[in-house]
Amino acid sequence: QVQLVESGGGLVQAGGSLRLSCAASGRTFSSYVMGWFRQAPGKEREFVAAITRYGGDRKYADSVKGRFTISRDNAENTVYLQMNSLKAEDTAVYYCAAVRAWGTWPPHRDEYDYWGQGTQVTVSS
């Protein structure tokens, strides 16, 4: 069982930056691929970024490529999402998720085993 707790969301002006954190419980954090997703009102939850167990591979949605960076610290059981040059369309609830086994890379949303409760990011234009 893995419990995930996100933090770091808030209100920021367009062009600004935020850093989200996701702290995981348990001793097997490095066994999991970690992902970030987001969900805006009235829209489906969409993929943002994913990172492999030891950070050797990362994948980003086209909409955030070049602006967002996913990273992880296995010693701290934490995954991060650095978000720069934020836009109004980045406004959403952001969720982190964990998966141990998956099919294609990056794992599909439905393959993730564990989810956090989400943190709100609001970008004002």
Side-chain angles (χ1 to χ4, degrees):
Q1 189 78 8
V2 175
Q3 291 186 324
L4 304 173
V5 179
E6 302 97 336
S7 61
L11 174 64
V12 64
Q13 288 188 334
S17 298
L18 282 175
R19 188 195 197 199
L20 305 183
S21 299
C22 173
S25 65
R27 301 179 181 179
T28 58
F29 180 69
S30 61
S31 299
Y32 292 87
V33 162
M34 299 299 296
W36 284 98
F37 290 77
R38 66 187 182 186
Q39 188 167 18
K43 295 188 176 181
E44 288 193 357
R45 192 170 298 189
E46 65 175 6
F47 169 77
V48 175
I51 187 168
T52 50
R53 295 181 176 104
Y54 293 95
D57 198 2
R58 310 174 195 203
K59 184 71 174 179
Y60 298 94
D62 288 343
S63 59
V64 307
K65 203 173 294 183
R67 300 188 297 122
F68 290 11
T69 301
I70 188 171
S71 62
R72 66 189 296 162
D73 184 337
N74 287 346
E76 297 293 329
N77 282 12
T78 303
V79 62
Y80 303 97
L81 186 68
Q82 177 67 43
M83 305 186 296
N84 299 329
S85 302
L86 282 161
K87 305 175 181 179
E89 51 264 43
D90 294 319
T91 295
V93 177
Y94 283 71
Y95 299 89
C96 70
V99 59
R100 177 166 269 182
W102 67 94
T104 58
W105 174 254
H108 186 271
R109 177 188 62 202
D110 295 340
E111 295 181 283
Y112 282 82
D113 301 311
Y114 303 102
W115 291 85
Q117 83 289 349
T119 186
Q120 176 71 46
V121 171
T122 303
V123 184
S124 63
S125 56

